[in-house]
């Protein structure tokens, strides 16, 4: 084959070397416009996983890299005048210049045609004259621009400013520096990469960057390759205490914004994207070079394994895209955490350090416990410090006071729609459902999506609480649950009016709800906007309608109290009636109940105030909101904070922070714990207790969320459907048996995890000498250079 490679970075070089080894007869030509010894950047960090792949694919490259690695296991967090250290992580770093030299030498030895200081011919020409064209031409890829209609790139330029620098101070661990100044927070990501230098990345939020005077320096015109020397010296002065007299070293260093690159597809005919041309991931979770070299290995393997180029490129993309997407999700979470670092600054040092380490959701409480038990023990201790009712247990089993009620642990079962009612009357299934959950160990269990009027039901199978008959039925359910679980969870109920989402069929397998059409009933909303083109147009609520709705919520709350419920939740999210008033996408009213946020809040606050007036003061009142609409023009983060603050002032004891389901054209960023950042935002901006909800399914995630201070309670929904005893089993898995997770007496013999297959096998000793355990803490200690002193003659 004839293969053209555009771009002589690590990804392009590594692909060329691997492809030439697999197909020595192929003619591989690589074009790079810069000189071979030009390099931009400093050090590159690799994971053990990536290094294992390099070792298997090309032992010579791996051996040359290993000879120059800086290795360590510690992460230092310098914050609030202290340095906290977490060990057991494992890092290997190498100078970018050295890495390029290793790859260049390997390519030359294999017979790759390397053409430096040479612009590649036009990609159209290369595609005609070569079997394969590999575009590894970076984040500003010319090839990607040429075939943009096919690749459909999305370039997301972020708000923070950062500058990539080096320093002659050799740090001995990966070091995060978080310094608060009068103009804002300065954060640094630093790590060593050889015995003389370290990478030193300085990052600031845009407003802090401007207030700090950096914009004045950055505004000057600089020639190509020049650095913002004034900005570098300013950083050097601000961070002098961390540099210990050492200097910052620029290399084409300027203030830039990070751009996350995504492409709908990575190949066009015989042209394929690799590395930063195809994707980027924020530097706070790892190296773009690492991803590019993984791409290179996968592409070379696919070209070798498949009979033709189209099949190879399809396989390459199918293999790599899920891996990259996973990395980008973690990187996005990390990037957003650093963009909003002000939310965390102010936390106690131990909590801040844990929050930082778990920001991407890849590192968790259990993960850190395995790596460095002493660090996690210190964080756990700090979490319960000063609390009279603390227990010797994981964060999820610590008690919490919600309003005036003490919850025995931090786990909540959120309202779950069961679609089992008839004419709004709950029956045997609701009793069994709530009974099982009440026995399962959670502190608070909510009955779900209960309508305050018949026309406020989402479907015919939704429960209601609009009459004496419904009150009686619910009282019977509560009594039955309490009879079988006298020491079980507190019971709550969610009240709602579905608004324009009413009169639909039960959800299909894909979660969509078709309108009932002529078999339905009239719907009501903030504005006369149908849910989608297939739905009926709701009536815009009149003043009389609003009064009736308020009265219905108030009456239903009183019935819930008389039925014996311990807590109440009002549904102000997910596109239901009151959610429709809050979102600018669904509230187009021109009266006092529309317009700016204050107007959109007016009716929801009227309902909350009326309910709070009749709901007992000693019983918690929670409000669920959609903190984001996941659609352009919808609820902003500032809106969400103002909504939560107003709801708390009107009597809400906590905010159950969900998102979305407000408009059908939403584009949520689904993923594990994807809604938790909004609970974090509201909790830390307002001081109001929050419940995190959405894709939280493991006890490890619950502990991580609580310990990082992102929420006060965690609602675990679908995992409790999978296992109604989820909380008790989480206690057993963690070896906890105490008041935070009491087993029913009849089930207590099953409170220990049952033995599995092979658990009774005792393995023999097979090693004469015991292997030494890897130390938890290892710092980078460069070996002293040997200096030859000539003899005196």
């Amino acid at each position: 084959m004839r293969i053209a490679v555009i771009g002589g970075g690590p990804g392009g070089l590594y692909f060329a070397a691997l492809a030439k080894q697999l197909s020595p007869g192929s003619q591989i030509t690589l074009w790079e416009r810069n000189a071979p010894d030009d390099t931009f950047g400093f050090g590159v960090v690799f994971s053990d996983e990536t290094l294992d792949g390099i070792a298997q694919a090309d032992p010579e490259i791996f051996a040359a890299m290993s000879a120059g690695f800086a290795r360590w296991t510690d992460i230092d967090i310098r914050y609030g005048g202290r340095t906290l250290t977490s060990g057991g992580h494992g890092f290997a770093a190498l100078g970018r210049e050295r890495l390029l030299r290793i790859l260049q030498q390997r390519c030359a030895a294999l017979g790759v045609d390397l053409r430096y200081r040479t612009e590649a011919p036009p990609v159209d020409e290369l595609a005609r004259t070569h079997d394969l064209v590999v575009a590894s031409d970076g984040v500003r890829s010319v090839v990607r621009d040429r075939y943009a209609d096919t690749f459909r790139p999305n370039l997301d330029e972020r708000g923070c400013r950062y500058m990539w620098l080096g320093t002659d101070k050799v740090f001995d661990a990966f070091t995060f520096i978080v310094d608060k100044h009068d103009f804002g927070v300065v954060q640094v990501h630093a790590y060593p990469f050889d015995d003389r230098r370290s990478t030193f990345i300085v990052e600031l939020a845009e407003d802090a960057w401007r207030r700090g005077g950096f914009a004045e320096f950055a505004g000057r015109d600089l020639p190509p390759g020049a650095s913002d020397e004034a900005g570098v010296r300013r950083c050097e002065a601000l961070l002098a205490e961390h540099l210990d007299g050492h200097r910052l070293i620029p290399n084409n260093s300027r203030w830039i914004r990070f751009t996350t690159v995504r492409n709908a597809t990575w190949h066009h005919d015989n042209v394929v994207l690799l590395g930063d041309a195809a994707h980027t991931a924020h530097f706070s979770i790892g190296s773009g070079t690492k991803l590019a070299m993984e791409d290179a290995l996968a592409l070379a393997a696919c070209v070798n394994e498949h009979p033709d180029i189209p099949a190879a490129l399809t396989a390459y993309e199918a293999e790599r895209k899920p891996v990259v997407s996973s990395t980008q999700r973690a990187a996005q979470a990390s990037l957003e955490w650093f963009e909003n670092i002000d939310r965390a600054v102010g936390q106690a040092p131990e909590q801040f350090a844990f929050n930082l380490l778990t920001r991407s959701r890849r590192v968790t409480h259990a993960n850190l416990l395995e790596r460095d038990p002493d660090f996690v023990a210190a964080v756990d201790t700090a979490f319960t410090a000063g609390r009279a009712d603390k227990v010797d247990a994981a964060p999820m089993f610590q008690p919490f006071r919600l309003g005036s009620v003490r919850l025995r642990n931090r786990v909540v079962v959120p309202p779950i729609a069961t679609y089992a009612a008839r004419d709004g009357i709950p029956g045997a299934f609701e009793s069994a459902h709530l009974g099982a959950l009440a026995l399962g160990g959670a502190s608070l269990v909510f009955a779900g999506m209960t309508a305050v009027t018949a026309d406020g039901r989402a479907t015919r199978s939704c429960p209601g609480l609009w009459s004496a008959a419904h009150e009686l039925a619910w009282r019977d359910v509560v009594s039955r649950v309490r009879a079988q679980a006298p020491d079980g969870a507190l019971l709550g109920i969610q009240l709602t009016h579905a608004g324009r989402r009413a009169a639909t069929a039960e959800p299909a397998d894909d979660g969509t709800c078709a309108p009932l059409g002529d078999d339905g009933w009239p719907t009501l909303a903030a504005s006369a906007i149908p849910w989608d083109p297939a739905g009926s147009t709701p009536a815009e609520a009149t003043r009389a309608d609003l009064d009736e709705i308020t009265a219905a919520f108030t009456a239903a709350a009183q019935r819930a109290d008389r039925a014996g419920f311990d807590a109440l939740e009002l549904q102000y999210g997910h596109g239901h009636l009151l959610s429709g008033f809050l979102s600018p996408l669904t509230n187009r009213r021109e009266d006092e109940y529309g317009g700016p946020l204050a107007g959109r809040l007016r009716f929801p606050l009227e309902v909350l105030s009326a309910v709070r007036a009749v709901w007992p003061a000693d019983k918690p009142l929670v409000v669920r909101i959609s903190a984001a609409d996941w659609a352009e023009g919808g609820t902003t983060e500032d809106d969400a904070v103002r909504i939560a603050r107003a709801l708390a002032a009107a009597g809400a004891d906590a905010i159950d922070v969900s998102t979305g389901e407000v408009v059908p054209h939403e584009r949520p960023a689904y993923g594990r714990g994807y809604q938790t950042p909004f609970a974090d935002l509201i909790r830390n901006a307002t001081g109001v207790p929050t419940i995190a909800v959405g894709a939280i399914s493991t006890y490890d995630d619950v502990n991580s969320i609580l310990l990082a201070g992102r929420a006060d309670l965690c609602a675990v929904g679908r995992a409790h459907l999978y296992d109604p005893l989820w909380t008790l089993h989480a206690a057993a898995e963690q070896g906890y048996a105490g008041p935070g997770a009491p087993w029913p007496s009849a089930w207590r013999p099953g409170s220990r995890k049952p033995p599995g297959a092979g658990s009774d096998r005792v393995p023999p000793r097979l090693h004469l000498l015991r292997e030494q355990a890897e130390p938890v803490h290892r710092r980078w200690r460069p070996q002293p250079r040997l200096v030859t002193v000539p003899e005196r003659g």
Side-chain angles (χ1 to χ4, degrees), residues 289-320:
T289 299
K290 164 190 173 299
L291 286 176
M293 293 183 70
E294 290 174 355
D295 283 355
L297 188 152
L299 179 58
C302 289
V303 170
N304 181 63
E305 292 167 353
H306 291 82
D308 54 52
I309 292 299
L313 299 188
T314 299
Y316 159 68
E317 189 168 333
E319 179 180 325
R320 282 298 293 164

Side-chain angles (χ1 to χ4, degrees), residues 15 28 39 71 86 98 128 156 191 217 271 293 313 438 461 473 484 495 513 523 551 588 624 628 684 709:
F15 168 78
I28 303 176
T39 181
R71 289 187 178 272
S86 171
R98 180 167 186 159
R128 287 193 303 270
D156 180 15
Y191 57 86
F217 308 135
V271 178
M293 293 183 70
L313 299 188
S461 302
Q484 68 182 22
L495 299 181
C513 300
T523 56
R588 307 287 176 78
R624 170 173 283 194
N684 289 292

